């Protein structure tokens, strides 16, 4: 049996100190949340994210996380930040995705699927056809948020999606150091993403929680077919 270490993304990073703490902890990717429905996360904008990204060492991937879905919006954001990976948390028209790829050669598109019920399986198959990876997240009807809810969803459905699609699947939604190992064993994702699960009550990033999350996730290997 071949075992593979899950990739880990720490999302919602907005300071250089936090970004470097993620890198030292061994995170594979750092997600910068910009263009959310209620505005920038912790006041971060493209220029602020770009300043942090320029200071990152090699071999750690910066990712733009946004709810904006038109090429006219997303392409300038990617160029300003100097990123080639974008995570879209709202539905984007196929033509817009094609325009993004045409404008930025080599762009990797990570499309979100909210695991609300069995219908998520068909949606995942549909979006996987146009994505380089999927991220499975939780929708909170109480707040209307499609991510960073701090809530888990039905991991059995996520596991079915992993088996059904042919692209890497990233599991998100309510993950913490306390439950990430169980989530990985249940879902067997390509990677995991955490946001609120490594934050303090005031919304700042807790470096101890980041270190714990990355260590536990990386120590929970996923079996893969040879």
């Amino acid at each position: 049996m071949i075992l593979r270490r899950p990739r880990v993304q720490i999302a919602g990073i907005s300071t250089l100190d936090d970004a470097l703490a993620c890198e030292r902890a061994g995170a594979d990717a750092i997600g910068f949340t910009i263009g959310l429905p209620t505005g920038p996360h912790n006041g971060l904008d493209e220029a602020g994210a770009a300043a942090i990204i320029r200071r990152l060492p090699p071999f750690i991937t910066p990712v733009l996380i946004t709810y904006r879905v038109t090429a006219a919006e997303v392409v300038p954001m990617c160029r300003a930040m100097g990123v080639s990976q974008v995570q879209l948390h709202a539905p984007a028209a196929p033509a817009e995705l094609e325009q993004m790829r045409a404008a930025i050669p080599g762009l990797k598109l990570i499309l979100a699927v909210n695991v609300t019920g069995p219908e998520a399986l068909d949606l995942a198959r549909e979006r996987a056809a146009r994505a380089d990876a999927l991220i499975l997240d939780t929708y909170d009807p109480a707040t209307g948020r499609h991510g960073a809810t701090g809530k888990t969803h039905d991991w059995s459905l996520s596991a079915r999606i992993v088996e059904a699609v042919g692209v890497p699947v990233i599991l998100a939604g309510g993950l913490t150091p306390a439950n990430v190992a169980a989530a990985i064993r249940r879902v067997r994702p390509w990677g995991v993403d955490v946001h609120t699960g490594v934050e303090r009550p005031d919304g700042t990033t807790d470096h101890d929680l980041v270190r714990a999350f990355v260590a536990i996730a990386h120590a929970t290997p996923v079996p893969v077919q040879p």
Side-chain angles (χ1 to χ4, degrees):
M1 178 183 294
I2 298 175
L3 299 176
R4 179 184 50 75
R5 188 189 77 173
R7 271 71 164 186
V8 177
Q9 174 170 264
I10 310 297
I13 297 303
S14 56
T15 72
L16 177 61
D17 184 50
D18 291 342
L20 294 177
C22 293
E23 186 276 330
R24 290 191 296 268
D28 302 284
I30 297 175
F32 298 89
T33 51
I34 301 173
L36 305 185
T38 54
H41 178 75
N42 291 345
L44 190 70
D45 58 13
E46 292 94 324
I52 295 171
I53 291 167
R54 284 194 294 269
R55 299 285 299 277
L56 292 177
F59 301 127
I60 186 164
T61 303
V63 180
L64 166 62
I65 301 173
T66 185
Y67 279 73
R68 296 175 185 169
V69 292
T70 67
E73 294 172 303
V74 173
V75 168
M77 294 171 73
C78 290
R79 288 175 174 163
M81 293 170 60
V83 301
S84 59
Q85 307 218 18
V86 58
Q87 187 170 305
L88 301 179
H89 275 268
E96 296 292 343
L97 300 177
E98 291 174 7
Q99 289 178 40
M100 292 177 202
R101 291 191 188 277
I104 303 178
L107 179 69
K108 300 296 184 183
L109 291 173
I110 304 165
L111 304 185
V113 174
N114 288 117
V115 183
T116 54
E119 69 280 357
L121 187 58
D122 288 336
L123 181 60
R125 288 193 181 102
E126 176 186 329
R127 291 188 179 166
R130 299 183 177 90
D132 296 288
L134 298 179
I135 183 164
L136 308 183
D137 215 334
T138 302
Y139 172 69
D140 184 358
T143 63
R145 298 187 73 169
H146 292 262
T149 63
K151 299 178 181 295
T152 59
H153 53 260
D154 186 345
W155 290 340
S156 67
L157 288 173
S158 292
R160 290 175 60 191
I161 291 171
V162 169
E163 294 175 354
V165 301
V167 298
V169 174
I170 303 158
L171 180 66
L175 298 182
T176 69
N179 67 11
V180 67
I184 291 170
R185 287 192 292 266
R186 181 68 184 87
V187 178
R188 297 185 176 184
W190 178 84
V192 290
D193 170 285
V194 65
H195 186 158
T196 60
V198 292
E199 288 184 338
R200 303 181 184 92
D202 64 359
T204 57
T205 301
D206 186 314
H207 297 182
D208 290 336
L209 291 178
V210 168
R211 285 190 290 270
F213 187 93
V214 175
I216 294 167
H218 280 169
T220 312
V222 175
V224 295
Q225 294 295 329

